[in-house]
């Protein structure tokens, strides 16, 4: 599936500052960047880098004495996904888990899985299959947390959301991650562009490691899972902020877009189409795609 | 400086479980392992691994049906350190920072630097030199937080400690890390063996990235900084737990030891000997050691 | 029903301190004190008082230079209760509520009803009858929170318990109070002696104001509701602590007892015997007792 | 000193609701109401009442099917105050304290004095005189917390403010109350009209019980202490909300005013004029006024 994604961010700058942006589509086994363009107007020096433990692409830029900056990013991204039947999604005991998944078992800033342990076991502990567990978690969040713009802020964590029961996509993701980790299922934050998301914006959901694969889940049900273009992968939103500002910079406007490339056809895969099948956005040579 | 370190841990096992231990001394530019021995009695299968983004050495082991397990680790470690004069320790703007340091600017489970921003700026924001800032933070913690065994637990975070004003080494480290990150100084958790620590135990302190170097700081002042043997490096204690248990396992006894090798002489370098000099436990080819 | 209650508390005193104790059985419309004895050994000056807005009886005593103090309280208390059929327990709108009940609508130290509003409405908001609402709350707490001695401390509040899902009687009471207040049902803390409580101890539960009456509820189900002898009434445990110490005093041992008077017969009324009936421990001239 | 105070509140009503308002000036030993008028337009039934343990005057009103309601309150209030020299303001040990002050020693919803104990003792414990202690607390809050409209919400408590270091008048009051209670100085919330407050609004500060008197303190320094007209007295803002709504009602506009009566002269008494003197807004027959 080929998507045209774009982000347009306008900043005013109070004094010379540094910005670290994370709006580039990732290059990874599940998505290929066919073309892309990143522009800062007026031009300032910037540098792209990738952190070792993930493929998230960051841009670090110095505002210098500019009073305002506009960031434009456009890319054409070819995305693949695999639909995997639940029967192949056995629990991977910690003893056999890919080492790279292990850090995603531990609590993080917004995902205090250590404090949600008993709740997670009470609600979902008896479900034997790990995939069914995560599906139950995602459905429970969807049923019990209301998507309410403005109800949370940058300090809100899963420990709050589980009681407050409102939030936006990042809060839904944090709660899902936390409940999964509490049940020893490695889980990580996913930020990206999302086709069909209304209103258009950056989106967040999460991935859980089951049967040797990272499967993607979205408790908000606001976008089809096969319409996601990955930007960030991390422990939680602290790792995948759209922008981290060092100095004093203010976002004055933002437009985000995700369109299907002209010649493409799209059949949405959401919770209800998938049923008991999982979807992975990473390629995996050892697993035969189904569907 | 050569140290003989050891850890002896006895566990009872309720049912087959997996343990991830992090008690091996690291191999890195600042310390060399001359010999080591890791033993599980009775023998069970185990595997050592290193996570990509740090050099922490983990052991994953399966208890199987054993009812009790004893872990023994012994190592002889050659440690180096550099003492660096404050004049070489300029602030590294985010724009020039080694990319690997960037994740240590972000908040984490026990270090909610995002919630301590105003406090950090009020207390330390006016100190121009970053090294002086961290020294002021460490002295402030030492003066205002009481070391009190049993006053905190595994859920206690820097946000609690800053008001509660009691804690153990890990709480001191978390608070130091949080205040530094709030001031845009990358900081990370350090766990290790510590010479002269009384009573002997695993120890925790922290490192801040200043002038292109990771300098070590210890707000507890319980052990000389040149008597530390590194085990874990991470964002906070969530990354560097001595043991993470998946299943049901109980620690029934633990002995930790750190001795000077027979032929060695040791001159402790603590806060007061160092004065305005910093100490790094990593080698760095571009910096000429002083003192 | 006549009960013999007693409390025996032994304190050591580090330096001259003041203690405020709340272990006297209340005198109120639902219970009469037939005889009682309060003794401090060695003798020190003390004073009994009642706070205006409740009938809780406090004793304030000064330790002076005594190094140890023993407190003994014994009383014979005649208790009455009324069993009221649910059909008489209509919702009292705030507009018609006894003014004295109004403060028990507001959040308090351990009962942050303002933070549990959405959760309470989601879980129980659709139940039309207020008595049924409280019964559903109490049953939910019983089903979802585990009674676990030592799992909480004096700082634990309902906001913690709702996620942590463990606690002791005071935590069960705080959570019940909070959920009720969130639904506009005035609710207050009840501390007392409890017949059949094992092991014997002071007990805590709560009362909700429904249909013009204060009905008693106990989510722990550890003692029959008609075996309670009231000590304290308040917003939460902050109002009804067994002992508040000003200075430095340590409780070294405590025995609490509640026995049936020799000639009495007792038929326990617990959740299952009561079914859809409520129980009030206060007399009320306008309501005809049933059962 | 005679003040003309007024409040004008406009509400829209989604469905029949009950409002409890607390905007009437109190009648007490320190202030006399010369005339007053309370009006609801269009007219609906309302009832005034006073809670036993305080003199706060509440109005309970039912909106019925009205779609909008306007509340108007006007009063002329004669206020007195006493300035008391610090030499008369000895510490009142708990053993000798007026019983009515005792509940104000305990923690409450927004004033978790039990969690701020060590901090309070570290910062202010060594100041021997209780009046000096409170002055030091108030000065510390003024120096360390920034008045920042919109930085807090109705859930913010002293435990947050002590670290967050921003807030509005109610947050300043809650923090002052909490630190005082932690030092065994009974303290209570004061809400009122305030002369010279800019922009005009309801105001909040606090009172501490010292030397047998309730003295008023205001860490915001936004209004002279002899220009306050008392509305509410309580443990914290939970007891003294301007409006508590049961149902669904929205405040769409509010004007508050406090003017000096035409013939009056006013000499502001603020922190700097008072120096080491205290000010009480209650009359007290046993204390000879000074100044």
């Amino acid at each position: 599936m080929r998507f045209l994604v774009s982000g347009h961010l306008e900043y005013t700058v109070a004094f010379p500052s540094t910005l670290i942006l994370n709006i580039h589509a990732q290059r990874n086994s599940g998505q290929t960047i066919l073309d892309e363009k990143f522009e800062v107007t007026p031009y300032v020096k910037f540098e792209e880098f990738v952190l070792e433990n993930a493929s998230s692409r960051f841009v670090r830029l110095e505002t210098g004495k500019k009073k305002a900056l506009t960031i434009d990013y456009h890319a054409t991204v070819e995305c693949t996904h695999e639909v995997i039947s639940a029967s192949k999604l056995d629990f991977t005991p910690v003893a056999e888990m890919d080492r790279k998944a292990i850090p995603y078992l531990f609590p993080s800033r917004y995902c205090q899985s250590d404090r949600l342990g008993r709740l997670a076991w009470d609600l979902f502990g008896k479900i034997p299959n790990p995939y069914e567990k995560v599906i139950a978690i995602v459905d429970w969040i969807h049923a019990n947390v209301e998507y309410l713009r403005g109800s949370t802020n940058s300090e809100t964590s899963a420990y709050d959301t589980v009681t407050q029961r409102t939030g936006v996509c990042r809060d839904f993701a944090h709660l899902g991650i936390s409940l999964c980790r509490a049940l020893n299922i490695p889980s990580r934050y996913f930020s990206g562009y999302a086709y069909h998301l209304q209103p258009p914006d950056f989106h967040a959901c999460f991935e859980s490691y089951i049967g040797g694969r990272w499967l993607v889940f979205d408790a908000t049900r606001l976008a089809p899972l096969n319409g996601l273009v990955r930007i960030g992968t991390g422990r939680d939103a602290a790792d995948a902020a759209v922008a981290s500002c060092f100095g004093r910079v203010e976002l004055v406007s933002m437009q985000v877009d995700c369109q299907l490339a002209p010649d493409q056809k799209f059949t949405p895969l959401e919770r209800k189409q998938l049923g008991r099948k999982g979807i992975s956005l990473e390629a995996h040579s050892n697993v035969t795609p189904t569907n």
Side-chain angles (χ1 to χ4, degrees), chain A:
Chain A
M1 203 64 50
R2 202 170 312 131
F3 296 99
L4 309 175
V5 301
S6 66
H8 171 88
L9 297 90
E10 296 181 19
Y11 288 98
T12 55
V13 182
F15 52 77
S17 302
T18 298
L19 270 174
I20 295 180
L21 296 170
N22 183 206
I23 62 172
H24 279 66
Q26 274 191 28
R27 304 178 200 276
N28 60 42
S29 67
Q31 63 188 35
T32 306
I33 292 168
L34 302 180
D35 61 65
E36 73 176 351
K37 186 172 170 186
F38 179 84
E39 228 174 348
V40 186
T41 316
Y43 175 79
V44 298
K45 188 182 136 189
F46 65 85
E47 167 206 30
E48 194 194 314
F49 65 95
V50 176
L51 290 179
E52 277 174 68
N53 58 330
S55 314
S56 305
R57 296 165 65 201
F58 294 89
V59 164
R60 174 161 57 176
L61 62 85
E62 291 172 73
T63 64
K65 294 180 178 172
K66 305 293 187 290
K67 290 296 169 208
L69 281 184
T70 300
I71 313 290
D72 274 291
Y73 176 71
H74 292 268
T76 307
V77 189
E78 180 73 45
C79 295
T80 59
H81 64 267
E82 288 179 35
V83 174
I84 303 161
S85 65
S87 61
K88 305 202 175 185
L89 296 171
D90 288 337
F91 182 64
T92 308
V94 176
E96 294 163 22
M97 203 171 269
D98 181 354
R99 295 149 182 194
K100 290 183 187 172
I102 288 174
Y104 298 106
L105 284 168
F106 301 142
S108 61
R109 170 64 183 91
Y110 299 109
C111 302
Q112 304 98 326
S113 45
D114 56 314
R115 302 186 73 185
L116 297 177
R118 186 175 283 263
L119 176 67
W121 283 96
D122 282 357
L123 291 177
F124 311 107
K126 286 186 185 139
I127 302 169
N129 181 278
Y131 174 75
E132 301 286 349
K133 265 195 180 104
V134 183
I135 282 294
I137 287 170
V138 167
D139 288 352
W140 184 88
I141 295 172
H142 186 77
N144 289 288
V145 180
E146 187 180 346
Y147 191 95
L148 201 58
R149 213 169 289 275
S151 63
T152 54
N153 61 36
S154 67
E155 293 188 359
T156 306
S157 68
Y159 189 74
D160 303 310
T161 305
V162 75
T163 298
Q164 185 179 328
R165 306 218 160 182
T166 59
V168 296
C169 58
R170 87 182 226 146
D171 305 302
F172 280 66
H174 287 154
L175 183 50
I177 292 167
S178 303
L179 292 169
C180 289
R181 287 185 192 162
L183 298 168
N184 297 341
I185 301 170
S187 295
R188 64 190 193 188
Y189 191 78
F190 176 108
S191 72
Y193 297 93
Y195 184 49
H196 276 177
L197 182 67
Q198 283 306 332
D201 199 348
F202 291 110
H203 193 48
C205 55
F206 75 98
E207 294 178 296
S208 288
Y209 182 87
I210 304 170
R213 304 297 303 269
W214 286 102
L215 302 180
V216 67
F217 298 93
D218 183 354
T220 70
R221 297 193 194 167
L222 290 177
L225 294 168
N226 58 337
L228 296 167
V229 178
R230 185 191 305 259
I231 297 172
T233 308
R235 299 200 190 182
D236 59 27
D239 278 357
V242 164
S244 303
C245 163
F246 304 90
R248 189 128 142 237
V249 145
E250 198 185 345
L251 180 67
V252 286
S253 91
M254 181 170 84
Q255 283 93 47
V256 180
D257 198 34
C258 182
Q259 297 296 334
L260 205 59
D263 54 327
Q264 300 281 303
K265 279 184 75 176
F266 183 77
T267 309
L269 289 175
E270 304 195 44
R271 174 77 185 85
K272 76 177 162 221
Q273 286 87 26
L274 284 162
R276 293 192 68 263
K277 294 197 189 92
I279 184 166
S280 172
L281 305 182
E282 291 185 335
H284 193 272
S285 51
N286 303 328
V287 172
T288 314
T290 68
N291 200 345

